[in-house]
Amino acid sequence: MHNTHMTSRSKPDDMPARRPEPVADALGRPLHDLRISLLDQCNFRCPYCMPEAEFHSDYEFLKRQQRLTYDEIVRVAAGASALGVSKLRLTGGEPLLDKNICELIERIAVLPGVKDLALTTNGMLLSPLAEKLVVAGLDRVTVSLDSIDKDIFRGMSGGRGNVDQVLAGIKAAGAAGLGPIKINVVVQKGVNDHTILDLLEYFRGTGTIVRMIEFMDVGNRNGWRMDQVVSSRSSLQQIQKRWPLRPIGRSYPGEVARRYEYVDGGGEIGFISSVTEPFCGDCSRARLSADGMLYTCLFANQGTDLREPLRGGADDDELRDILSSTWLQRADRYSELRRPDIAEHHVLKKVEMYRIGG
Ligand code: SAM
Ligand code: SF4
Ligand code: SF4
């Protein structure tokens, strides 16, 4: 916990401290993390996630009644924490488009077993909200920012983002105590790879951790091609020429980023190499979509519907049984099996990133 503020994270004394009943999947991996997508809508149209041509003004997003209510989300979060989930992340779409998000944060932050509550955002709406998020009980934010070049950033947000506004959001989040802040950079060949060093220079020495993410073949709508992927190895080489780096260990088991630090003391950088160096062996994450589907892999082509039992009267024990049996059967390791050279591999119908939030 990094907050210095008094937050609603202090759990009431009368809340029973139920011992979690950890579950392991078919490959022996525990369930530690849950990512909750609050809504499928977004104020950006990043071409690698929600290309404008597909997600145009007539596109039908989920209707209010199709999305889980806060009561339903809290029940799933509580069930997951009873099975060993201690890290939760709110995401989207763009989670800060949800006007009542602080109310949900207050309710999740006090669940027994929840040790780390984070949020992933594109940062456009962050600045005026940062303080309120901390007071509600949020621990950390990750902000996605692909370039600090105004025009390139704008292009990568589908013509909707303003880099100064996002940078102001990052500053406000740091001042409010939501650090250490992580910055996600999706690196795409010929699009923003030539602006990485400027971005790193901006954040060096600030305590903010930049993470280079390989462009992934999530979903079926972003026109992914292997030749647009910049491997972590090549980003690392590019950075090393300017600032020597050395590897540092993981901060927790199952961490997806390979961590490095600047030899000169400028801080930490991470590399998330899902395409060229898969890390399925440690993957301990489940993902809940806004309409209540539980996915056990970012590249899943099917999920488990939780909304139907939630609305059909399932009690907490039944809900926990569904969660645990879903996890027990899990054998996903898409990235390890990925064959970019085989066309059929891309025909698989996969869940879209904006539905499950990365
Ligand atoms: N809208 C929020 C945001 O952008 O931070 C949260 C949802 S977004 C789907 C979560 C993360 O997924 C972002 O950091 C985004 O850059 C990343 N992402 C989306 N599509 C991706 C892709 N094809 N490859 C790699 N990362 C991707
Ligand atoms: Fe929106 Fe985030 Fe997807 Fe960009 S990456 S379109 S900000 S959900
Ligand atoms: Fe986890 Fe699936 Fe990614 Fe492998 S491909 S690390 S199982 S989400």
Side-chain angles (χ1 to χ4, degrees):
M1 229 122 309
H2 313 283
N3 301 335
T4 48
H5 296 61
M6 260 308 284
T7 70
S8 45
R9 172 51 62 81
S10 350
K11 305 197 194 293
D13 291 341
D14 57 358
M15 196 161 263
R18 206 179 36 210
R19 202 185 285 274
E21 295 160 30
V23 282
D25 72 9
L27 302 176
R29 298 168 296 187
L31 171 61
H32 280 160
D33 307 52
L34 178 65
R35 302 194 153 201
I36 302 171
S37 174
L38 298 186
L39 72 179
D40 58 347
Q41 292 168 47
C42 189
N43 47 351
F44 281 10
R45 286 293 180 275
C46 309
Y48 54 72
C49 178
M50 295 179 76
E52 184 91 55
E54 300 264 353
F55 298 91
H56 40 67
S57 53
D58 297 334
Y59 184 83
E60 285 202 17
F61 290 99
L62 293 172
K63 298 192 175 46
R64 188 73 202 85
Q65 67 274 19
Q66 293 176 299
R67 291 184 356 220
L68 295 189
T69 63
Y70 284 177
D71 284 348
E72 290 165 342
I73 292 173
V74 170
R75 285 192 64 200
V76 176
S81 74
L83 295 174
V85 165
S86 59
K87 287 166 65 88
L88 289 103
R89 179 173 292 274
L90 303 178
T91 177
E94 175 47 45
L96 296 184
L97 287 176
D98 183 336
K99 297 275 175 285
N100 303 315
I101 189 168
C102 288
E103 192 192 305
L104 179 66
I105 290 171
E106 279 173 18
R107 294 179 62 183
I108 295 180
V110 295
L111 290 174
V114 173
K115 298 204 179 91
D116 183 44
L117 180 55
L119 171 98
T120 305
T121 172
N122 62 32
M124 274 298 273
L125 305 171
L126 184 55
S127 175
L129 278 173
E131 189 73 36
K132 292 182 192 123
L133 294 168
V134 174
V135 172
L138 190 72
D139 292 314
R140 298 181 298 116
V141 286
T142 297
V143 181
S144 306
L145 175 65
D146 296 323
S147 179
I148 56 162
D149 178 292
K150 285 186 172 40
D151 296 329
I152 291 175
F153 175 72
R154 201 164 173 74
M156 289 186 81
S157 68
R160 312 217 176 175
N162 173 311
V163 79
D164 292 329
Q165 202 168 321
V166 176
L167 292 173
I170 294 168
K171 266 206 183 98
L178 286 170
I181 294 170
K182 290 182 182 154
I183 305 290
N184 279 356
V185 183
V186 176
V187 189
Q188 256 184 298
K189 195 167 284 175
V191 181
N192 63 339
D193 51 344
H194 58 296
T195 67
I196 288 175
L197 296 180
D198 291 345
L199 185 133
L200 288 172
E201 173 130 63
Y202 182 91
F203 289 107
R204 262 168 54 84
T206 65
T208 303
I209 303 167
V210 177
R211 292 149 15 124
M212 304 291 157
I213 302 181
E214 289 179 350
F215 174 35
M216 294 188 277
D217 50 334
V218 204
N220 299 83
R221 297 181 169 190
N222 64 5
W224 183 87
R225 292 203 328 255
M226 186 65 201
D227 63 11
Q228 291 183 337
V229 176
V230 178
S231 69
S232 289
R233 177 193 287 263
S234 99
S235 298
L236 182 66
Q237 279 168 354
Q238 190 191 351
I239 300 163
Q240 290 264 29
K241 283 188 198 143
R242 174 88 160 265
W243 300 289
L245 298 173
R246 63 174 160 239
I248 48 178
R250 286 177 172 181
S251 44
Y252 57 89
E255 184 170 47
V256 296
R258 290 262 204 99
R259 300 165 70 220
Y260 284 76
E261 65 183 2
Y262 296 105
V263 171
D264 68 6
E268 182 181 330
I269 306 190
F271 295 87
I272 299 179
S273 327
S274 163
V275 180
T276 63
E277 294 166 69
F279 36 77
C280 302
D282 288 333
C283 183
S284 55
R285 298 174 169 184
R287 296 170 161 92
L288 179 68
S289 69
D291 57 352
M293 296 295 286
L294 187 75
Y295 294 97
T296 56
C297 179
L298 193 51
F299 302 92
N301 55 10
Q302 58 185 38
T304 304
D305 183 7
L306 299 183
R307 190 179 62 188
E308 199 199 308
L310 279 165
R311 294 189 180 170
D315 66 18
D316 288 346
D317 286 343
E318 285 164 335
L319 182 62
R320 222 173 39 244
D321 284 349
I322 298 171
L323 291 170
S324 88
S325 63
T326 303
W327 192 262
L328 284 165
Q329 287 165 31
R330 172 190 194 239
D332 305 288
R333 52 191 200 97
Y334 176 92
S335 287
E336 288 181 350
L337 304 173
R338 176 192 283 112
R339 294 288 307 272
D341 50 322
I342 297 183
E344 297 83 76
H345 197 85
H346 304 298
V347 180
L348 276 177
K349 181 118 190 63
K350 293 171 284 179
V351 62
E352 296 292 326
M353 188 70 132
Y354 75 99
R355 295 197 63 228
I356 49 167

